[in-house]
Amino acid sequence: MAVIAHNEKEVKLLARLMRAEAEGEGKLGMLMVGNTGVNRVRARCLDFKDINTIQRMVFQSPGGFEATQKGYFYQGAREMDIKLARKAIKGLRYHPASYALWFFEPSGACPAQWYNQANSGRYKSHCFFQPTQADCPKVF
């Protein structure tokens, strides 16, 4: 059962985002990007108060995903990517992105906080950051 509303176009959109942001980090890295995106749709807090669809989450500006500005994002979704997107939409969570709203790839170590959110961990190149449960209860 899905934890956010979606249609087939949005499943493919999330799949493209996951691949464009983290294909080099394998399936698990892509799933973590999916976690972060789904969390943003669920959150209704902080910078994501008005983000209520996958479409709005993917193309949020400012604060959206860098991958949407690159040609690779605009290639069609592959079947494997679509399967991973469906897992994220079902609410499957992968640490350290389980409750993350942000991630980025620093040039060195992960900072303890980013946008006032605590570092929840690193997976390969990406550092993940999550809000407090008090700030964003719908993420948890």
Side-chain angles (χ1 to χ4, degrees), residues 6 8-9 27 32 36-37 42 46 48 62-63 80 83-84 108 110 114 116 121 137 139:
H6 64 284
E8 285 306 303
K9 181 180 175 185
K27 291 178 183 177
M32 289 182 195
T36 304
R42 297 175 87 177
L46 303 173
F48 311 105
M80 179 194 76
K83 287 179 182 178
L84 295 176
C110 296
W114 200 49
N116 296 318
V139 172

PDB file of all heavy atoms in Angstrom, residues 6 8-9 27 32 36-37 42 46 48 62-63 80 83-84 108 110 114 116 121 137 139:
ATOM      1  N   HIS A   6      -0.261   8.904  -5.875  1.00  0.00           N
ATOM      2  CA  HIS A   6       0.580   8.932  -7.072  1.00  0.00           C
ATOM      3  C   HIS A   6      -0.179   8.376  -8.265  1.00  0.00           C
ATOM      4  O   HIS A   6      -1.202   7.714  -8.104  1.00  0.00           O
ATOM      5  CB  HIS A   6       1.844   8.101  -6.853  1.00  0.00           C
ATOM      6  CG  HIS A   6       1.561   6.652  -6.652  1.00  0.00           C
ATOM      7  ND1 HIS A   6       1.057   6.142  -5.473  1.00  0.00           N
ATOM      8  CD2 HIS A   6       1.677   5.598  -7.493  1.00  0.00           C
ATOM      9  CE1 HIS A   6       0.888   4.835  -5.599  1.00  0.00           C
ATOM     10  NE2 HIS A   6       1.253   4.481  -6.817  1.00  0.00           N
ATOM     11  N   GLU A   8       0.820   6.804 -12.491  1.00  0.00           N
ATOM     12  CA  GLU A   8       1.927   6.149 -13.204  1.00  0.00           C
ATOM     13  C   GLU A   8       2.956   7.148 -13.725  1.00  0.00           C
ATOM     14  O   GLU A   8       4.153   6.881 -13.719  1.00  0.00           O
ATOM     15  CB  GLU A   8       1.400   5.280 -14.345  1.00  0.00           C
ATOM     16  CG  GLU A   8       0.767   3.992 -13.871  1.00  0.00           C
ATOM     17  CD  GLU A   8       1.701   3.173 -12.978  1.00  0.00           C
ATOM     18  OE1 GLU A   8       2.821   2.836 -13.421  1.00  0.00           O
ATOM     19  OE2 GLU A   8       1.318   2.882 -11.829  1.00  0.00           O
ATOM     20  N   LYS A   9       2.504   8.305 -14.161  1.00  0.00           N
ATOM     21  CA  LYS A   9       3.432   9.341 -14.632  1.00  0.00           C
ATOM     22  C   LYS A   9       4.365   9.755 -13.494  1.00  0.00           C
ATOM     23  O   LYS A   9       5.565   9.932 -13.699  1.00  0.00           O
ATOM     24  CB  LYS A   9       2.642  10.542 -15.145  1.00  0.00           C
ATOM     25  CG  LYS A   9       3.501  11.656 -15.681  1.00  0.00           C
ATOM     26  CD  LYS A   9       2.641  12.808 -16.179  1.00  0.00           C
ATOM     27  CE  LYS A   9       3.526  13.968 -16.600  1.00  0.00           C
ATOM     28  NZ  LYS A   9       2.735  15.143 -16.966  1.00  0.00           N
ATOM     29  N   LYS A  27      21.521   0.487  -6.294  1.00  0.00           N
ATOM     30  CA  LYS A  27      20.100   0.430  -5.971  1.00  0.00           C
ATOM     31  C   LYS A  27      19.802   1.024  -4.598  1.00  0.00           C
ATOM     32  O   LYS A  27      18.821   1.759  -4.430  1.00  0.00           O
ATOM     33  CB  LYS A  27      19.597  -1.015  -6.028  1.00  0.00           C
ATOM     34  CG  LYS A  27      19.557  -1.583  -7.427  1.00  0.00           C
ATOM     35  CD  LYS A  27      19.093  -3.017  -7.413  1.00  0.00           C
ATOM     36  CE  LYS A  27      19.128  -3.599  -8.806  1.00  0.00           C
ATOM     37  NZ  LYS A  27      18.738  -5.027  -8.807  1.00  0.00           N
ATOM     38  N   MET A  32      17.454   5.427  -1.311  1.00  0.00           N
ATOM     39  CA  MET A  32      17.568   6.489  -0.304  1.00  0.00           C
ATOM     40  C   MET A  32      17.135   7.840  -0.870  1.00  0.00           C
ATOM     41  O   MET A  32      16.503   8.635  -0.169  1.00  0.00           O
ATOM     42  CB  MET A  32      18.992   6.542   0.243  1.00  0.00           C
ATOM     43  CG  MET A  32      19.304   5.361   1.117  1.00  0.00           C
ATOM     44  SD  MET A  32      20.962   5.505   1.786  1.00  0.00           S
ATOM     45  CE  MET A  32      21.198   3.838   2.360  1.00  0.00           C
ATOM     46  N   THR A  36      13.948  10.136   0.544  1.00  0.00           N
ATOM     47  CA  THR A  36      13.984  11.573   0.776  1.00  0.00           C
ATOM     48  C   THR A  36      12.851  12.275   0.022  1.00  0.00           C
ATOM     49  O   THR A  36      12.162  13.131   0.571  1.00  0.00           O
ATOM     50  CB  THR A  36      15.356  12.141   0.366  1.00  0.00           C
ATOM     51  OG1 THR A  36      16.382  11.442   1.089  1.00  0.00           O
ATOM     52  CG2 THR A  36      15.452  13.620   0.653  1.00  0.00           C
ATOM     53  N   GLY A  37      12.632  11.894  -1.211  1.00  0.00           N
ATOM     54  CA  GLY A  37      11.553  12.496  -1.997  1.00  0.00           C
ATOM     55  C   GLY A  37      10.186  12.207  -1.411  1.00  0.00           C
ATOM     56  O   GLY A  37       9.352  13.110  -1.265  1.00  0.00           O
ATOM     57  N   ARG A  42       5.340  13.770   2.140  1.00  0.00           N
ATOM     58  CA  ARG A  42       4.627  13.484   3.388  1.00  0.00           C
ATOM     59  C   ARG A  42       4.750  14.596   4.420  1.00  0.00           C
ATOM     60  O   ARG A  42       3.878  14.760   5.270  1.00  0.00           O
ATOM     61  CB  ARG A  42       5.182  12.212   4.031  1.00  0.00           C
ATOM     62  CG  ARG A  42       5.002  10.969   3.218  1.00  0.00           C
ATOM     63  CD  ARG A  42       5.671   9.804   3.856  1.00  0.00           C
ATOM     64  NE  ARG A  42       4.758   9.183   4.809  1.00  0.00           N
ATOM     65  CZ  ARG A  42       5.025   8.091   5.503  1.00  0.00           C
ATOM     66  NH1 ARG A  42       6.187   7.498   5.362  1.00  0.00           N
ATOM     67  NH2 ARG A  42       4.145   7.590   6.330  1.00  0.00           N
ATOM     68  N   LEU A  46       8.389  22.746   7.349  1.00  0.00           N
ATOM     69  CA  LEU A  46       9.602  23.437   6.907  1.00  0.00           C
ATOM     70  C   LEU A  46       9.448  23.939   5.475  1.00  0.00           C
ATOM     71  O   LEU A  46       8.459  24.600   5.164  1.00  0.00           O
ATOM     72  CB  LEU A  46      10.825  22.532   7.085  1.00  0.00           C
ATOM     73  CG  LEU A  46      11.050  22.014   8.515  1.00  0.00           C
ATOM     74  CD1 LEU A  46      12.183  20.991   8.539  1.00  0.00           C
ATOM     75  CD2 LEU A  46      11.318  23.146   9.478  1.00  0.00           C
ATOM     76  N   PHE A  48       8.667  22.337   2.938  1.00  0.00           N
ATOM     77  CA  PHE A  48       7.839  21.405   2.162  1.00  0.00           C
ATOM     78  C   PHE A  48       6.359  21.487   2.532  1.00  0.00           C
ATOM     79  O   PHE A  48       5.601  20.553   2.286  1.00  0.00           O
ATOM     80  CB  PHE A  48       8.387  19.987   2.349  1.00  0.00           C
ATOM     81  CG  PHE A  48       9.871  19.939   2.118  1.00  0.00           C
ATOM     82  CD1 PHE A  48      10.745  19.821   3.177  1.00  0.00           C
ATOM     83  CD2 PHE A  48      10.395  20.094   0.848  1.00  0.00           C
ATOM     84  CE1 PHE A  48      12.121  19.821   2.979  1.00  0.00           C
ATOM     85  CE2 PHE A  48      11.769  20.106   0.640  1.00  0.00           C
ATOM     86  CZ  PHE A  48      12.631  19.968   1.701  1.00  0.00           C
ATOM     87  N   PRO A  62      12.651  27.432  -5.145  1.00  0.00           N
ATOM     88  CA  PRO A  62      13.984  26.889  -4.872  1.00  0.00           C
ATOM     89  C   PRO A  62      13.898  25.670  -3.949  1.00  0.00           C
ATOM     90  O   PRO A  62      12.838  25.357  -3.420  1.00  0.00           O
ATOM     91  CB  PRO A  62      14.698  28.050  -4.177  1.00  0.00           C
ATOM     92  CG  PRO A  62      13.602  28.788  -3.486  1.00  0.00           C
ATOM     93  CD  PRO A  62      12.386  28.656  -4.385  1.00  0.00           C
ATOM     94  N   GLY A  63      15.025  25.044  -3.760  1.00  0.00           N
ATOM     95  CA  GLY A  63      15.119  23.923  -2.830  1.00  0.00           C
ATOM     96  C   GLY A  63      14.924  22.563  -3.448  1.00  0.00           C
ATOM     97  O   GLY A  63      14.866  21.567  -2.748  1.00  0.00           O
ATOM     98  N   MET A  80      13.857  -1.248 -14.017  1.00  0.00           N
ATOM     99  CA  MET A  80      14.468  -1.390 -12.696  1.00  0.00           C
ATOM    100  C   MET A  80      14.249  -0.132 -11.851  1.00  0.00           C
ATOM    101  O   MET A  80      13.935  -0.201 -10.667  1.00  0.00           O
ATOM    102  CB  MET A  80      15.967  -1.660 -12.818  1.00  0.00           C
ATOM    103  CG  MET A  80      16.650  -1.800 -11.462  1.00  0.00           C
ATOM    104  SD  MET A  80      18.447  -1.715 -11.548  1.00  0.00           S
ATOM    105  CE  MET A  80      18.712   0.033 -11.773  1.00  0.00           C
ATOM    106  N   LYS A  83      10.680  -0.040 -10.553  1.00  0.00           N
ATOM    107  CA  LYS A  83      10.500  -0.953  -9.415  1.00  0.00           C
ATOM    108  C   LYS A  83      11.025  -0.337  -8.125  1.00  0.00           C
ATOM    109  O   LYS A  83      10.405  -0.454  -7.067  1.00  0.00           O
ATOM    110  CB  LYS A  83      11.192  -2.292  -9.685  1.00  0.00           C
ATOM    111  CG  LYS A  83      10.483  -3.145 -10.701  1.00  0.00           C
ATOM    112  CD  LYS A  83      11.236  -4.438 -10.949  1.00  0.00           C
ATOM    113  CE  LYS A  83      10.529  -5.246 -12.017  1.00  0.00           C
ATOM    114  NZ  LYS A  83      11.242  -6.495 -12.333  1.00  0.00           N
ATOM    115  N   LEU A  84      12.171   0.319  -8.197  1.00  0.00           N
ATOM    116  CA  LEU A  84      12.725   0.970  -7.011  1.00  0.00           C
ATOM    117  C   LEU A  84      11.823   2.121  -6.566  1.00  0.00           C
ATOM    118  O   LEU A  84      11.594   2.298  -5.359  1.00  0.00           O
ATOM    119  CB  LEU A  84      14.135   1.475  -7.295  1.00  0.00           C
ATOM    120  CG  LEU A  84      15.189   0.394  -7.583  1.00  0.00           C
ATOM    121  CD1 LEU A  84      16.521   1.036  -7.954  1.00  0.00           C
ATOM    122  CD2 LEU A  84      15.354  -0.545  -6.404  1.00  0.00           C
ATOM    123  N   GLY A 108      34.061  16.800   1.500  1.00  0.00           N
ATOM    124  CA  GLY A 108      34.765  16.128   2.595  1.00  0.00           C
ATOM    125  C   GLY A 108      33.780  15.419   3.506  1.00  0.00           C
ATOM    126  O   GLY A 108      32.835  14.786   3.041  1.00  0.00           O
ATOM    127  N   CYS A 110      30.793  14.814   6.292  1.00  0.00           N
ATOM    128  CA  CYS A 110      29.432  15.338   6.446  1.00  0.00           C
ATOM    129  C   CYS A 110      29.402  16.327   7.612  1.00  0.00           C
ATOM    130  O   CYS A 110      29.933  16.023   8.684  1.00  0.00           O
ATOM    131  CB  CYS A 110      28.454  14.207   6.779  1.00  0.00           C
ATOM    132  SG  CYS A 110      28.261  12.956   5.512  1.00  0.00           S
ATOM    133  N   TRP A 114      22.652  20.478   8.586  1.00  0.00           N
ATOM    134  CA  TRP A 114      22.463  21.166   7.314  1.00  0.00           C
ATOM    135  C   TRP A 114      21.043  21.688   7.299  1.00  0.00           C
ATOM    136  O   TRP A 114      20.106  20.916   7.574  1.00  0.00           O
ATOM    137  CB  TRP A 114      22.733  20.205   6.157  1.00  0.00           C
ATOM    138  CG  TRP A 114      23.025  20.851   4.853  1.00  0.00           C
ATOM    139  CD1 TRP A 114      23.908  21.849   4.598  1.00  0.00           C
ATOM    140  CD2 TRP A 114      22.434  20.532   3.594  1.00  0.00           C
ATOM    141  NE1 TRP A 114      23.920  22.160   3.264  1.00  0.00           N
ATOM    142  CE2 TRP A 114      23.020  21.375   2.616  1.00  0.00           C
ATOM    143  CE3 TRP A 114      21.489  19.617   3.187  1.00  0.00           C
ATOM    144  CZ2 TRP A 114      22.680  21.329   1.267  1.00  0.00           C
ATOM    145  CZ3 TRP A 114      21.152  19.563   1.846  1.00  0.00           C
ATOM    146  CH2 TRP A 114      21.748  20.407   0.901  1.00  0.00           C
ATOM    147  N   ASN A 116      19.677  23.330   9.515  1.00  0.00           N
ATOM    148  CA  ASN A 116      19.228  23.087  10.894  1.00  0.00           C
ATOM    149  C   ASN A 116      18.675  21.683  11.112  1.00  0.00           C
ATOM    150  O   ASN A 116      17.901  21.456  12.026  1.00  0.00           O
ATOM    151  CB  ASN A 116      18.198  24.137  11.340  1.00  0.00           C
ATOM    152  CG  ASN A 116      18.804  25.515  11.385  1.00  0.00           C
ATOM    153  OD1 ASN A 116      19.932  25.685  11.845  1.00  0.00           O
ATOM    154  ND2 ASN A 116      18.079  26.490  10.889  1.00  0.00           N
ATOM    155  N   GLY A 121      23.443  10.345   8.810  1.00  0.00           N
ATOM    156  CA  GLY A 121      24.433   9.389   8.348  1.00  0.00           C
ATOM    157  C   GLY A 121      24.825   9.624   6.908  1.00  0.00           C
ATOM    158  O   GLY A 121      24.315  10.510   6.227  1.00  0.00           O
ATOM    159  N   PRO A 137       6.362  15.928  12.327  1.00  0.00           N
ATOM    160  CA  PRO A 137       5.840  14.638  12.799  1.00  0.00           C
ATOM    161  C   PRO A 137       5.351  13.711  11.684  1.00  0.00           C
ATOM    162  O   PRO A 137       5.422  12.494  11.846  1.00  0.00           O
ATOM    163  CB  PRO A 137       4.705  15.030  13.736  1.00  0.00           C
ATOM    164  CG  PRO A 137       4.354  16.437  13.389  1.00  0.00           C
ATOM    165  CD  PRO A 137       5.612  17.062  12.853  1.00  0.00           C
ATOM    166  N   VAL A 139       6.683  12.986   8.949  1.00  0.00           N
ATOM    167  CA  VAL A 139       7.792  12.250   8.323  1.00  0.00           C
ATOM    168  C   VAL A 139       8.049  10.948   9.076  1.00  0.00           C
ATOM    169  O   VAL A 139       8.495   9.970   8.498  1.00  0.00           O
ATOM    170  CB  VAL A 139       9.065  13.118   8.287  1.00  0.00           C
ATOM    171  CG1 VAL A 139      10.277  12.321   7.839  1.00  0.00           C
ATOM    172  CG2 VAL A 139       8.868  14.313   7.374  1.00  0.00           C
TER     173      VAL A 139
END
